[in-house]
Amino acid sequence: MRYRCECGGLLEVEADWRWRPTEARGLWRYRSLLPTLDEAPPVTLQEGGTPLVRCERLAAWAGVRELSVKVEGANPTGSFKDRGMTVGVTLARSLGMKALACASTGNTSASLAAYGARAGLPVSVLVPAGKIAAGKMAQALAFGAKVIEVEGGFDEAMSLVEQLSADGHVYLLNSLNPLRLEGQKTLLFEVLEAASPDRVVFPVGNGGNVSAAHKAIREANATGLSRATPMLTGVQAEGAAPLASGSYHPVDKAETLATAIRIGRPVNADKALRAVKETGGAFAKVSDAEIFDAQRRLAREEGLFVEPASAAPLAGLRRLVESGVVDRSESVVLVATGNGMKDPDVVSRYASPPLRTKADLPSLLKVLS
Ligand code: F0G
């Protein structure tokens, strides 16, 4: 199979179509199903290999037979983006790219900043001013990226960075870049090696992850990695739901407190719609209140602290069961895309503030009573 990519530098590689597990840890285990240019060692932080956690209480709450959560917050920078970045940055370096860039709602910028640092390449990230979670901003700054706040939303930042890369100034590592999606396929490879779920549910922003999953299923089936064909299902926030009807309706002023998926013009809209349609999946949209309720339940009932966008699949699944779209006999995997620690500020929406005591036992007992 040939990969062709023109994201600031032409790339054509032959990929070997056999599934041959390697000894590598994490996602480079799937190297035979990933595009590689040469034998240069990957730019890696040992991403992938994340937990798939059975959640019986939440299965009962959502109304399905079996429920597991794929905990992508366990990746090195705390989100699934690391899967795409290890592949994207490895190839960017092999191609001789001198500077990397992306637009981001936060996680892509944190991840690119880390892998750029690891590769020794300068990184610029464009983020919507005042609209990314504190932890994600801290990561990008700590990793030494040039962080540029754009006066506008993600969609404006994206359009700006596309213009910048079209002029050849930087190599673009948004999910428009097919190499990112190649790396993100490994999420589904891992799920399909461990289980054969009826359905896998994603939060959808740019639609990259769900598109990568679609490609992963086709390749897993074609190469003998797995015969399973789960229905891919996408969940969006009500105020940022350009795909939730099953066709594309751009949203001019996307709004949601789940800032990771605050996107009105997804760059992978067509691929994402196809992924859901061709696998017999569905879309749902949920309110911010439902998202926070789901975030609280994942934390309180299962010990899983995920960021708001990553809780949307649980809220969406419950809705789809209630409306009869999802059958109660199904086994479902929810993709928890990012770590809750990235966005600590939202927790005050459903948790009480800490208690306080003087440093003596009677005072402590009083506070505890
Ligand atoms: N969940 C989280 C935590 C995300 O950060 C994103 C996307 C998504 C879900 C949606 O994934 O775009 O592949 O449909 N975040 C991007 C970013 C846009 O810039 O970090 P998608």
Side-chain angles (χ1 to χ4, degrees):
M1 163 153 185
R2 284 184 97 70
Y3 294 93
R4 200 180 149 87
C5 164
E6 293 176 55
C7 299
L10 188 65
L11 170 68
E12 271 197 53
V13 281
E14 282 294 339
D16 172 347
W17 262 86
R18 275 165 307 157
W19 161 229
R20 282 181 285 110
T22 70
E23 292 301 309
R25 272 176 61 184
L27 70 76
W28 286 98
R29 163 179 168 70
Y30 301 101
R31 191 171 184 137
S32 76
L33 301 178
L34 296 173
T36 45
L37 255 193
D38 50 34
E39 290 307 311
V43 180
T44 178
L45 294 163
Q46 297 195 357
E47 48 294 310
T50 56
L52 184 64
V53 177
R54 275 286 282 277
C55 295
E56 284 170 17
R57 285 196 206 125
L58 290 182
W61 180 73
V64 292
R65 179 173 58 81
E66 197 177 303
L67 187 70
S68 300
V69 173
K70 183 71 170 158
V71 185
E72 287 296 290
N75 277 298
T77 77
S79 84
F80 72 96
K81 305 288 180 180
D82 296 345
R83 296 178 181 275
M85 283 309 169
T86 183
V87 173
V89 173
T90 293
L91 281 146
R93 189 174 67 174
S94 295
L95 286 164
M97 295 300 152
K98 298 283 179 266
L100 314 176
C102 70
S104 179
T105 57
N107 282 322
T108 299
S109 56
S111 185
L112 178 58
Y115 286 83
R118 187 96 170 132
L121 291 170
V123 169
S124 302
V125 302
L126 278 66
V127 299
K131 294 288 184 190
I132 79 167
K136 303 174 188 179
M137 175 61 88
Q139 287 179 291
L141 294 170
F143 292 129
K146 193 171 282 175
V147 180
I148 301 141
E149 292 193 301
V150 176
E151 293 168 6
F154 169 84
D155 302 308
E156 284 78 38
M158 186 67 227
S159 149
L160 208 51
V161 80
E162 273 187 78
Q163 294 169 44
L164 187 71
S165 72
D167 279 354
H169 296 291
V170 292
Y171 185 70
L172 184 63
L173 273 163
N174 276 97
S175 59
L176 260 185
N177 185 327
L179 298 176
R180 282 269 316 279
L181 301 190
E182 290 299 319
Q184 288 175 208
K185 289 186 313 196
T186 59
L187 195 166
L188 246 277
F189 290 158
E190 287 176 14
V191 168
L192 295 181
E193 265 204 293
S196 298
D198 298 311
R199 187 179 299 271
V200 183
V201 190
F202 294 84
V204 172
N206 271 320
N209 217 14
V210 76
S211 309
H214 188 205
K215 191 159 189 280
I217 294 171
R218 293 196 306 255
E219 293 182 13
N221 294 164
T223 60
L225 175 67
S226 165
R227 288 170 188 275
T229 54
M231 295 174 271
L232 298 178
T233 294
V235 182
Q236 299 200 295
E238 269 174 3
L243 304 175
S245 67
S247 55
Y248 180 33
H249 301 281
V251 173
D252 277 337
K253 290 223 176 322
E255 217 28 274
T256 167
L257 292 166
T259 51
I261 50 172
R262 190 171 168 273
I263 294 172
R265 296 178 182 273
V267 299
N268 295 299
D270 293 344
K271 282 187 200 168
L273 289 168
R274 219 178 310 130
V276 169
K277 193 165 172 218
E278 288 182 9
T279 59
F283 278 104
K285 57 181 174 179
V286 293
S287 68
D288 283 359
E290 288 173 286
I291 287 175
F292 289 125
D293 180 48
Q295 188 188 22
R296 186 178 59 86
R297 284 177 191 280
L298 281 156
R300 302 261 169 110
E301 294 176 31
E302 306 287 1
L304 295 171
F305 186 29
V306 307
E307 67 168 282
S310 308
L314 176 62
L317 176 65
R318 184 168 150 105
R319 270 214 184 187
L320 290 169
V321 171
E322 278 171 355
S323 61
V325 174
V326 169
D327 196 87
R328 291 179 181 274
S329 66
E330 287 186 19
S331 73
V332 179
V333 169
L334 304 177
V335 181
T337 43
N339 196 306
M341 290 186 285
K342 284 172 170 279
D343 196 356
D345 301 338
V346 298
V347 173
S348 62
R349 294 185 172 272
Y350 55 81
S352 329
L355 305 169
R356 198 175 175 118
T357 180
K358 290 208 186 81
D360 61 74
L361 188 59
S363 305
L364 172 61
L365 290 172
K366 211 163 135 193
V367 166
L368 285 172
S369 65

